């Protein structure tokens, strides 16, 4: 079983503009609520792909929280590790650009997921743990998620980290970058976007990112996967060096959930080839990595082809 730990929230996404808006129409965009949060999207994507998955978080007892749990169950995700609280659900307001890229503003004060507590144990049979995004930023829950990552790595669980940086939530960038480096010895697979990598390395668009990726690999991960939007994916690994695949061409509606789909697809494919261990991932050759990355690229393209975080089902990728 793959356990995904982190926040579940509601994305407020701009509704499609009417064909002919009247001059008296409100200047404020209409917003549609959609289930989201990086870890939540990863769990749903894994469930849709067919991997046994459990979600570990703290979810509100409000109507949004009920909808979030319903979405997990519809995807076949186990919710035994989900804690509940009467606090409201975190909200994220999405701003989708003309190219489909999305930025977010967050409403997180006093919300349920911030009060996540370290569970005593993962379910029997848990082989992998995936963490990341806002859950590793917002205290007091961030420290609990960090403790979970460290504990399960020491227990021999395969650990995956997707920082999924939201700069507006990070009060002290330098302190967060130091925490990130401290996590790496407890991480088997690091997945991040090129924008996240440049932010973590404190680099401008022309800085030498390769040097930082190589250095991060030396901290402990077996492999680092970098997403480059429509340009595809690359991996820096101990066994195969650098391997890249192109992106899958698609008409982009928006990019919401694309990186989360990549994360899920990587874990799913590694599970399928019985490679959910630090040693196994470190030993993968270039040919296998091209297969794993190509699968993730196709899955992400399908997510980008529709509105919101709607990851594909297994049958869509086998067609």
């Amino acid at each position: 079983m793959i356990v995904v730990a982190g926040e579940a929230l509601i994305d407020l996404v701009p509704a499609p503009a009417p064909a002919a808006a009247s001059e008296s129409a409100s200047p404020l965009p209409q917003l549609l609520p959609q289930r989201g949060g990086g870890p939540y999207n990863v769990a749903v994507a894994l469930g849709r792909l067919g991997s046994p998955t459990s979600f570990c978080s703290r979810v509100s007892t409000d109507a949004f929280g009920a909808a979030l749990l319903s979405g997990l169950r519809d995807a076949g995700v186990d919710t035994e590790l989900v804690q509940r609280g009467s606090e409201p659900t975190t909200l994220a307001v999405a701003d989708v650009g003309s190219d489909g890229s999305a930025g977010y503003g967050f409403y997180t004060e006093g919300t349920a997921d911030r009060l996540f507590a370290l569970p005593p144990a993962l379910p029997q049979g848990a082989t992998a743990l995936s963490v990341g995004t806002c859950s590793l930023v917002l205290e007091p829950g961030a420290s609990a998620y960090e403790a979970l990552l460290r504990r399960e790595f020491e227990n021999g669980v395969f650990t995956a980290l997707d920082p999924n940086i939201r700069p507006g939530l990070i009060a002290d960038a330098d302190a967060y970058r130091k925490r990130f480096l401290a996590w790496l010895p407890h991480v088997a697979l690091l997945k991040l976007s090129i924008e996240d990598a440049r932010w973590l390395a404190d680099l401008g668009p022309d800085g030498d990112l390769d040097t930082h990726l190589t250095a991060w690999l030396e901290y402990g991960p077996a492999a680092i996967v970098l997403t480059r939007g429509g340009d595809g994916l690359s991996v820096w690994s101990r066994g195969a060096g650098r391997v890249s695949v192109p992106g899958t061409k698609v008409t982009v509606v928006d990019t919401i959930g694309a990186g989360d789909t990549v994360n899920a697809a990587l874990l799913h494919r590694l599970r399928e080839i019985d490679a959910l261990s630090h040693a196994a991932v470190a030993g993968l050759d270039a040919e296998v990595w091209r297969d794993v990355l190509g699968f993730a690229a196709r899955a992400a393209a399908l997510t980008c082809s529709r509105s919101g975080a709607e990851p594909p089902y297994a049958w869509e990728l086998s067609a």
Side-chain angles (χ1 to χ4, degrees):
M1 174 179 284
I2 299 173
V3 177
V4 183
E7 78 278 359
L9 52 79
I10 293 295
D11 286 327
L12 298 176
V13 180
S22 68
E23 294 183 2
S24 60
S26 170
L28 296 175
Q30 290 186 328
L31 298 175
L32 299 177
Q34 295 183 347
R35 292 171 285 213
Y40 180 89
N41 295 336
V42 172
V44 169
L46 279 165
R48 290 184 178 186
L49 290 173
S51 281
T53 306
S54 179
F55 189 56
C56 180
S57 184
R58 191 170 188 274
V59 173
S60 177
T61 54
D62 65 14
F64 283 147
L68 288 164
L69 285 181
S70 176
L72 290 167
R73 291 167 181 151
D74 287 347
V77 176
D78 180 80
T79 59
E80 179 184 351
L81 289 175
V82 175
Q83 305 160 23
R84 304 300 300 277
S86 59
E87 304 81 13
T89 298
T90 295
L91 302 178
V93 180
D95 180 17
V96 179
S98 58
D99 61 350
S101 61
Y104 297 90
F106 293 90
Y107 295 83
T108 64
E109 287 302 316
T111 53
D113 56 318
R114 293 190 67 167
L115 300 180
F116 171 80
L118 178 68
L122 295 186
Q124 187 174 8
T127 56
L129 171 69
S130 174
V131 298
T133 318
C134 311
S135 54
L136 287 169
V137 176
L138 301 172
E139 296 289 4
S143 292
Y145 285 113
E146 182 176 332
L148 179 64
L149 172 68
R150 295 175 184 272
R151 184 186 75 188
E152 296 308 320
F153 180 84
E154 295 301 326
N155 287 341
V157 172
F158 181 85
T159 53
L161 170 65
D162 179 5
N164 206 351
I165 301 298
R166 305 300 185 206
L169 292 177
I170 300 174
D172 187 333
D174 289 338
Y176 184 88
R177 290 177 178 121
K178 289 178 182 178
R179 287 182 67 200
F180 164 72
L181 294 178
W183 295 330
L184 294 184
H186 308 276
V187 172
L189 175 66
L190 173 64
K191 174 264 165 188
L192 68 175
S193 69
I194 191 168
E195 295 83 6
D196 290 347
R198 290 194 176 281
W199 188 93
L200 286 163
D202 198 16
L203 282 178
D206 299 321
D208 181 11
L209 185 56
D210 279 23
T211 299
H212 289 271
L213 291 164
T214 302
W216 293 342
L217 197 63
E218 293 304 312
Y219 275 82
I224 300 173
V225 172
L226 186 74
T227 63
R228 297 178 283 110
D231 292 330
L233 295 86
S234 298
V235 65
W236 281 252
S237 79
R238 295 182 178 274
R242 180 177 177 177
V243 180
S244 298
V245 300
T248 299
K249 300 301 181 184
V250 68
T251 299
V252 176
V253 174
D254 64 50
T255 62
I256 297 173
D260 306 323
T261 298
V262 168
N263 201 19
L266 293 171
L267 292 169
H268 175 76
R269 198 63 154 183
L270 291 173
R271 186 188 70 84
E272 284 192 318
I273 63 174
D274 196 24
L276 281 181
S277 75
H278 194 289
V281 168
L284 295 180
D285 62 25
E287 182 178 357
V288 174
W289 271 118
R290 277 190 283 271
D291 170 77
V292 172
L293 296 177
F295 179 79
R298 294 193 302 276
L302 283 170
T303 300
C304 291
S305 71
R306 43 211 185 196
S307 177
E310 287 294 337
Y313 293 86
W315 64 265
E316 294 180 277
L317 289 163
S318 61

